Amino acid sequence: MTSSDPTRPGGAEPPFPPGDYPLVVVGSGPGAIQVSYALSRLGIDHAVISRDETPGGMFRRFPVFQRLLSWTKPYAPVDRGSRAYERYDWNSLLADEPEHRSLQPGFMDGSSEFPARSEMEVNLATFAERTGVRVRYGTTWESTRREDGPEGNRFVLETTAGEYRTPILVVAVGVAEPWSPATPGIELARHYADTQPAETYAGRRIFLIGKQVSAFELATGLLPWACGIVLVSPSPTQLSVVTRSLVGVRARYVQPYEDFVLGGGVSVLDAAIDSIERVSGGDALVVRVRPSTPAGAEQAAELAIEADVVISATGWTAPLRDLPSLGVATFGHSRLPAQTPWWESATVPGIYFAGTIGQGAQGLRKHGIPSNSGAVHGARYNARVLAREIARRHFGRAPDRRPIETASVARFLGDEISGAPELFHQRSYLCRVVELDPSSGPHDAGVVPLTAFLDEGGPDAVAVTLEADGSAAIYPVVYVRRGGRTTEHDLDPDPLLDFRAPGYATALGGIVRELHPGLN
């Protein structure tokens, strides 16, 4: 059973009937929309299918308490719609055409710099409509198999509309299936995904399993309603303002933690959960926990905590269907697919991943800080780089390598570390590369994954990225590859993140001359 495509006028028949395609994208969230847009602009014919009825992915339902964690600042020190503005707008998708850029601020009511969930939905749907991203909605991917034929291997996707055959599959289905631990009695708990309206918890005792962002989001939303809230997991709570990264509970959801440290009625416990049981003769639940203790310490006494509602805010898994049976390796409780730096399955060539699921390509994790690939403001750049790599590798579309004057290399790289949003949002993960051709001189090799630049080798080149060390310092790093050997150069941080000062130009000039004495 399929539905008409809401992006087509007059309710016309949906696009992409079952059949053979050079490439198939599965999904209709921001990752799928962004990669489809980029593929189309590169002239790559492809089909997009989704079980959903409209664009938007998980934003149609989550976060439960409406506002996103990522900001869009309608007023910024740069022009809206410019490349530099993307640093301040974490929610718009990327477009080549000026009229399709920075759509998100146009749908915000001014009450917050964090878009409401409904505002994000409109942003994504409008981008898809205006840029001509077509999706066959209401088409559920059910299973996958491989077939050998005269034209090589094909992935065959069984869907509710019929079979789709393709040599290249891009999976952009998010990390969207609820996951809970195998705790005895877990069936008595709700998952975050099944949270009811806040007013239904009025006067009730809430026990939250988990102490990460989703648990503190629920605790924040339920503070005015619940008569008591307990958050429990074995590990201590981390706060983003302490880790100085996106690791930990974000500042918007710190109020329950403040209530805890000030004795305001919220309890935050480091403990393992042994079981959840129903109290005999009533509707209440009792959760038995063992407080975490330092290694070697005497076993702590069990606690029995009564609650009216237990909610498991323990995360999600990637809905990969039967791809693991085809050999797609996964890791962690989220079952993220193991990926190359180019977001291709590490074990099944031809299967790529876009959107939040791309966080399986972890990058360097310098200083223990992860990429932002799990969020729109990171994944949108990954999708654009991925589309270009697919076009080059599978369709013979050579990338545009703009020549750079030998006297302008340092200035070009300086402009990138000062204003490139790709480098700002994907620190230590994406880099801008200038390659040196012995016959034609330096040229812009574009934005690539940093691990690919460092591990795959290639011609003499210089790459710049931004990095952070968890101390609130953000600083440029320059990598020089010469004769197969790579050197690393850290530049000083700037408290205002302004890397246009003369000292940076001087340092960059000296570094690029390491690549070749004639460069500047």
Side-chain angles (χ1 to χ4, degrees):
M1 181 76 179
T2 61
S3 67
S4 294
D5 180 356
T7 67
R8 292 170 65 86
E13 283 301 308
F16 310 127
D20 287 76
Y21 292 90
L23 185 153
V24 172
V25 177
V26 181
S28 59
I33 294 170
Q34 185 70 77
V35 79
S36 177
Y37 169 88
L39 289 168
S40 295
R41 295 312 185 268
L42 292 167
I44 305 303
D45 185 26
H46 65 283
V48 187
I49 61 173
S50 173
R51 69 179 180 181
D52 296 327
E53 299 295 336
T54 58
M58 291 182 71
F59 291 112
R60 290 188 308 278
R61 295 183 60 200
F62 307 117
V64 168
F65 287 105
Q66 298 298 324
R67 289 207 178 272
L68 278 59
L69 279 173
S70 50
W71 55 65
T72 287
K73 300 178 184 292
Y75 302 100
V78 294
D79 291 337
R80 187 188 298 182
S82 66
R83 182 182 178 215
Y85 178 72
E86 294 167 18
R87 176 174 156 185
Y88 304 92
D89 175 8
W90 292 25
N91 299 294
S92 297
L93 297 184
L94 308 174
D96 298 335
E97 308 86 5
E99 65 271 22
H100 298 146
R101 298 174 187 160
S102 306
L103 296 183
Q104 181 64 83
F107 302 113
M108 296 168 64
D109 64 9
S111 61
S112 173
E113 66 177 357
F114 298 95
R117 197 175 73 207
S118 59
E119 293 169 344
M120 183 63 171
E121 289 182 70
V122 174
N123 164 39
L124 296 174
T126 302
F127 181 91
E129 179 181 5
R130 291 183 183 176
T131 61
V133 173
R134 298 190 302 150
V135 181
R136 186 182 184 98
Y137 294 102
T139 300
T140 301
W141 165 42
E142 296 181 323
S143 63
T144 320
R145 68 180 189 274
R146 298 180 72 169
E147 287 186 352
D148 295 330
E151 298 180 358
N153 291 332
R154 288 285 191 275
F155 299 104
V156 182
L157 281 67
E158 292 277 1
T159 78
T160 50
E163 291 187 348
Y164 289 79
R165 289 177 168 80
T166 182
I168 305 167
L169 176 62
V170 178
V171 179
V173 293
V175 183
E177 288 188 349
W179 179 86
S180 292
T183 302
I186 193 67
E187 69 277 2
L188 299 174
R190 293 180 177 271
H191 190 271
Y192 169 96
D194 300 316
T195 302
Q196 302 299 300
E199 60 270 19
T200 63
Y201 299 97
R204 309 188 80 185
R205 300 165 296 174
I206 309 298
F207 187 103
L208 291 166
I209 304 174
K211 298 203 301 286
Q212 298 194 43
V213 173
S214 58
F216 274 87
E217 177 214 330
L218 294 185
T220 301
L222 295 175
L223 271 178
W225 299 95
C227 67
I229 299 176
V230 180
L231 298 94
V232 176
S233 74
S235 301
T237 302
Q238 295 191 79
L239 305 178
S240 64
V241 294
V242 175
T243 67
R244 300 179 186 273
S245 72
L246 294 187
V247 175
V249 178
R250 301 289 294 280
R252 286 190 51 229
Y253 298 143
V254 170
Q255 184 62 54
Y257 196 81
E258 183 184 72
D259 276 31
F260 160 59
V261 298
L262 297 181
V266 174
S267 297
V268 179
L269 305 181
D270 300 339
I273 299 173
D274 284 340
S275 65
I276 306 168
E277 304 165 9
R278 190 169 300 282
V279 174
S280 178
D283 295 328
L285 302 171
V286 61
V287 186
R288 302 189 185 279
V289 306
R290 286 176 293 105
S292 304
T293 57
E298 183 179 348
Q299 179 69 31
E302 182 185 76
L303 297 175
I305 302 173
E306 284 200 12
D308 299 303
V309 179
V310 177
I311 302 176
S312 174
T314 49
W316 311 81
T317 63
L320 299 179
R321 299 292 186 267
D322 55 357
L323 290 186
S325 69
L326 270 65
V328 172
T330 64
F331 65 95
H333 85 257
S334 294
R335 295 203 293 272
L336 288 169
Q339 298 164 49
T340 72
W342 297 101
W343 307 283
E344 185 177 22
S345 168
T347 51
V348 182
I351 298 180
Y352 294 86
F353 301 94
T356 187
I357 206 169
Q359 65 190 287
Q362 295 188 307
L364 297 182
R365 293 181 66 93
K366 291 188 76 173
H367 308 290
I369 296 175
S371 73
N372 290 327
S373 298
V376 172
H377 65 284
R380 61 188 181 182
Y381 298 107
N382 297 354
R384 187 163 61 186
V385 174
L386 171 60
R388 291 172 179 169
E389 177 64 8
I390 287 175
R392 182 197 68 81
R393 188 186 303 184
H394 297 285
F395 296 92
R397 306 291 173 85
D400 181 19
R401 295 178 178 268
R402 180 172 61 88
I404 301 175
E405 295 289 337
T406 56
S408 300
V409 173
R411 186 173 68 226
F412 173 81
L413 296 175
D415 289 342
E416 287 299 291
I417 61 175
S418 299
E422 301 96 325
L423 308 189
F424 182 83
H425 288 307
Q426 288 289 56
R427 294 190 280 275
S428 302
Y429 193 80
L430 297 179
C431 61
R432 189 76 183 218
V433 178
V434 173
E435 291 183 349
L436 182 61
D437 188 299
S439 59
S440 60
H443 59 265
D444 176 16
V447 175
V448 305
L450 178 58
T451 48
F453 177 83
L454 296 175
D455 296 342
E456 294 178 2
D460 289 357
V462 58
V464 293
T465 188
L466 293 175
E467 297 187 356
D469 60 7
S471 68
I474 296 174
Y475 53 91
V477 179
V478 187
Y479 296 89
V480 176
R481 184 174 64 210
R482 185 180 183 190
R485 179 175 175 269
T486 302
T487 57
E488 179 179 344
H489 307 264
D490 293 4
L491 304 186
D492 291 334
D494 181 89
L496 299 179
L497 303 180
D498 182 1
F499 305 118
R500 294 181 174 86
Y504 292 104
T506 301
L508 283 168
I511 293 169
V512 298
R513 282 192 292 275
E514 177 185 319
L515 179 64
H516 190 280
L519 299 181
N520 207 338

